[in-house]
Amino acid sequence: MIPLFTSRQVRSADEFAIAKLGLPGLVLMENAARSIFEQIKLNLPLSENTTFGVVSGKGNNGGDGFALARHLLINGYKVIVIALADDKELKGDALVNFRALRNLIKYYPDSKLIKYKRLNDLSILKNADVIVDSILGTGSKGELREPYKSIVEKLNSIDAFKVAVDLPTGLDVDTGYGDVVFEADLTVTLSEYKTGLFYGKGYTHCGKVVKGSIGIGSEYYNRLETDTYLIEPEDAFVNIPLKEPDLHKYSAGKVLLIAGSRNLPGAAILAAETALRAGAGAVILAVPDSISETVRTKIGSAVVISYNDNGKGFLTEEATSQLEEKICWADTIAIGPGLGRDKDTINAVINILKKNNGKKFVIDADAIFALANSKQYLKNSILTPHLGEFANLIGIAVEDLKVNPIPHAKKFAAKNKCHLVLKGAPTLIFNPAGEVFVNTTGNQGMAKFGTGDVLTGVISSFLAQSGNNEASAISGVYLHSLAADLLAEEKTIYGFTANDLMEKIPYAIKFIIDTFLPDIED
Ligand SMILES: NC(=O)C1=CN([C@@H]2O[C@H](COP(=O)(O)OP(=O)(O)OC[C@H]3O[C@@H](n4cnc5c(N)ncnc54)[C@H](OP(=O)(O)O)[C@@H]3O)[C@@H](O)[C@H]2O)[C@H](O)CC1
Ligand SMILES: [K+]
């Protein structure tokens, strides 16, 4: 897991370096600039003709930009620097670097340092191959003010490779949101990763995220407390359930799926078939009588049982007693995909959770809808809502939730003592202890019917095998999205279906096992 930090924590490292280590801020800025230059060389195909545009703000982020411009100059690149502030407004280390650049650039006739006056001044950057955003960094507060907002919009409209220093200007680096944000292709973030680079929409603005350095290493950060982590491929690997040599089908994880209704039989089939492909030894799918024949003709290896639905085609409260025996039998019960939203189904779901409170449930889709007014029986379960379902569950408008879902989700998981998998881009996993795990895999092709049912299948399968909620959620989410990434390589983000995703789950598991097993054997 890679820890993520708040902007306040990252700023405290700068203060620590200056106050406790006695390193002058100017040294930190020089280190930062040199490391950004190194990352640019590593990540961009540069030639002697590459022209850089550097746009610098009035704080230390701007200072990093001036220092970087100096390194670009002395390494032979043409640089056009637009200073949004000059020596009347600049101060401290940023001012020192501005002056040094102003003095040095006179010796490089092809390069220019321009004081920004009007938006049109930025037109000169149309000739730049690379645009560097050193406008705002961790000192940024709230939505962008003018003229910064228009400047960022203008820069976004120019066709060049875009590099953000520390973070893209306009992005709230704690929440990952922002109204107008610099659209970077590469973000060189200083020292450690910050939450907002990956939360919310952060990752859509950052491009590739790499680390630069102010020259104090990671030890200081290792002592800082954080509750937020990026999931790494190794985490997916170590959390795949172990298969002991003496397993038989019932000790290899028993999943009961309560899913499907007359109008939505497909969701149930997808989830059940996926559960088998993710390693569960026995999977039973419980569906209403009315659809059991249809489901049996379409399903592969999962066993189908049916309950009396009095011809209604959906789960009713009356039917719940018929499921009791199988609920006791199962290690994990997945409930929700395709159940429908009839009042009777809602009562049945609540009834099942209430009677079996404490059993391991994976609660998805219509079962989440059912719980809007009845959240007291979620202990020990994993809920897998998308943003809309979660908004409905906690009774707030999606638009309000979107602004920053993190605090709501943290509170929900802690209060209800459950794991919450908030599906989205990226998917975030919340545990009852208040920690957040950010998934790093996946693509837009997953926004399609049925992909959520596949996730329910993987997580419930892992949970039945391992009994470990957190491990199952982390590994399940990662591998589900990795399967989508493998499919995107083969079929593009347009071309794969939920069925393909289900079929690809074993290959994603294999990919991760093959990647890490040799290391373990060494
Ligand atoms: N020594 C160090 O601390 C090092 C810092 N590094 C780099 O510095 C930045 C952080 O620098 P800081 O000066 O604290 O802040 P910024 O450069 O990000 O920006 C400050 C100015 O931004 C203005 N501001 C703030 N919010 C907005 C907004 N919404 N719209 C427009 N302008 C905004 C603010 O103006 P005020 O008038 O509000 O005061 C400030 O002037 C860090 O990110 C690193 O890049 C180096 O890494 C080296 C060590
Ligand atoms: K920036």
Side-chain angles (χ1 to χ4, degrees):
M1 298 262 174
I2 300 175
L4 302 179
F5 296 99
T6 62
S7 95
R8 192 181 50 75
Q9 286 177 312
V10 172
R11 287 174 75 83
S12 80
D14 295 343
E15 286 154 25
F16 162 81
I18 294 168
K20 295 276 175 0
L21 301 183
L23 278 175
L26 207 50
V27 172
L28 306 181
M29 194 171 274
E30 191 64 14
N31 289 339
R34 290 180 74 119
S35 71
I36 294 162
F37 180 48
E38 288 306 317
Q39 286 297 346
I40 287 175
K41 283 195 291 184
L42 277 175
N43 287 284
L44 269 78
L46 301 180
S47 79
E48 57 189 20
N49 298 321
T50 304
T51 300
F52 283 83
V54 177
V55 186
S56 272
K58 66 175 177 176
N60 285 329
N61 195 256
D64 292 348
F66 294 132
L68 170 67
R70 175 164 40 82
H71 286 285
L72 293 170
L73 271 184
I74 61 178
N75 282 281
Y77 300 103
K78 187 176 160 187
V79 190
I80 300 157
V81 182
I82 312 269
L84 303 183
D86 58 16
D87 39 3
K88 290 176 214 78
E89 297 157 277
L90 290 164
K91 51 184 188 302
D93 305 330
L95 178 59
V96 173
N97 271 303
F98 170 79
R99 285 182 173 152
L101 179 70
R102 192 177 53 188
N103 295 333
L104 187 70
I105 208 163
K106 290 176 193 152
Y107 298 92
Y108 295 83
D110 290 342
S111 294
K112 285 189 183 63
L113 171 60
I114 300 166
K115 167 72 176 69
Y116 173 89
K117 291 199 187 66
R118 60 190 73 83
L119 207 54
N120 215 19
D121 294 344
L122 299 174
S123 300
I124 192 172
L125 298 180
K126 285 192 178 128
N127 301 321
D129 304 296
V130 183
I131 293 181
V132 176
D133 154 29
S134 49
I135 302 174
L136 293 181
T138 55
S140 172
K141 286 182 216 74
E143 296 293 344
L144 278 186
R145 298 192 300 265
E146 289 293 4
Y148 287 14
K149 193 172 166 184
S150 302
I151 290 170
V152 168
E153 280 171 335
K154 175 88 178 178
L155 295 178
N156 284 343
S157 74
I158 299 174
D159 181 21
F161 190 94
K162 305 212 174 65
V163 178
V165 171
D166 207 11
L167 52 110
T169 294
L171 182 72
D172 180 324
V173 84
D174 289 333
T175 67
Y177 289 94
D179 178 19
V180 172
V181 182
F182 183 76
E183 301 297 346
D185 298 297
L186 175 72
T187 295
V188 186
T189 202
L190 294 166
S191 303
E192 296 296 318
Y193 292 128
K194 300 148 185 75
T195 52
L197 301 178
F198 303 96
Y199 268 179
K201 294 287 161 222
Y203 79 105
T204 64
H205 302 296
C206 290
K208 182 177 178 186
V209 182
V210 296
K211 276 188 200 173
S213 168
I214 60 167
I216 65 164
S218 285
E219 280 310 308
Y220 170 83
Y221 290 93
N222 290 343
R223 286 154 203 254
L224 293 180
E225 283 196 7
T226 180
D227 55 16
T228 310
Y229 303 88
L230 266 193
I231 303 171
E232 292 184 280
E234 290 94 321
D235 304 313
F237 172 67
V238 297
N239 288 311
I240 293 173
L242 283 175
K243 289 266 186 211
E244 302 295 346
D246 59 346
L247 280 181
H248 58 79
K249 64 178 181 274
Y250 294 124
S251 65
K254 301 183 292 266
V255 179
L256 172 67
L257 264 129
I258 305 173
S261 58
R262 180 171 288 142
N263 297 329
L264 300 158
I269 297 171
L270 267 175
E273 286 292 295
T274 307
L276 283 168
R277 282 168 174 75
V283 177
I284 294 182
L285 170 58
V287 296
D289 272 343
S290 320
I291 63 164
S292 62
E293 278 321 302
T294 321
V295 169
R296 277 194 187 99
T297 55
K298 289 189 178 159
I299 205 152
S301 312
V303 172
V304 180
I305 61 163
S306 64
Y307 49 82
N308 185 358
D309 63 345
N310 293 323
K312 288 181 172 168
F314 51 78
L315 177 67
T316 63
E317 218 178 338
E318 233 183 296
T320 56
S321 58
Q322 300 166 50
L323 293 169
E324 274 313 308
E325 188 202 327
K326 284 290 176 270
I327 290 175
C328 288
W329 163 87
D331 297 310
T332 297
I333 305 106
I335 186 165
L339 276 185
R341 296 181 173 187
D342 190 273
K343 182 91 190 65
D344 216 352
T345 306
I346 292 175
N347 290 335
V349 169
I350 296 169
N351 191 327
I352 289 171
L353 290 176
K354 185 175 174 183
K355 266 203 185 148
N356 301 284
N357 196 9
K359 266 215 90 128
K360 289 192 177 287
F361 280 91
V362 177
I363 305 171
D364 185 29
D366 293 328
I368 296 173
F369 178 82
L371 298 177
N373 297 315
S374 212
K375 295 183 265 287
Q376 59 272 51
Y377 311 115
L378 303 182
K379 190 173 167 198
N380 231 352
S381 59
I382 302 176
L383 281 86
T384 58
H386 54 61
L387 216 59
E389 287 168 338
F390 185 54
N392 183 63
L393 180 65
I394 61 173
I396 73 170
V398 188
E399 290 314 310
D400 294 338
L401 183 66
K402 263 187 191 162
V403 177
N404 187 6
I406 316 290
H408 295 282
K410 271 188 181 178
K411 191 172 152 200
F412 184 91
K415 185 169 174 214
N416 297 294
K417 301 188 171 56
C418 63
H419 281 76
L420 180 75
V421 174
L422 192 57
K423 291 184 289 204
T427 289
L428 303 171
I429 300 163
F430 298 83
N431 73 11
E435 291 173 317
V436 191
F437 307 99
V438 184
N439 185 45
T440 49
T441 49
N443 59 72
Q444 304 94 306
M446 298 171 79
K448 210 171 257 184
F449 277 146
T451 56
D453 306 319
V454 175
L455 179 64
T456 300
V458 181
I459 294 179
S460 51
S461 181
F462 281 4
L463 184 56
Q465 294 169 72
S466 70
N468 185 328
N469 296 37
E470 194 150 300
S472 305
I474 288 172
S475 193
V477 164
Y478 187 97
L479 290 166
H480 174 253
S481 298
L482 176 64
D485 286 345
L486 296 175
L487 281 166
E489 296 256 313
E490 283 170 29
K491 299 191 170 192
T492 78
I493 53 172
Y494 300 95
F496 65 88
T497 64
N499 213 59
D500 295 330
L501 193 58
M502 167 189 80
E503 298 283 356
K504 206 66 176 181
I505 294 296
Y507 298 89
I509 296 173
K510 177 171 167 22
F511 184 96
I512 283 293
I513 290 178
D514 287 351
T515 306
F516 292 103
L517 214 49
D519 285 342
I520 297 257
E521 282 171 355
D522 278 348

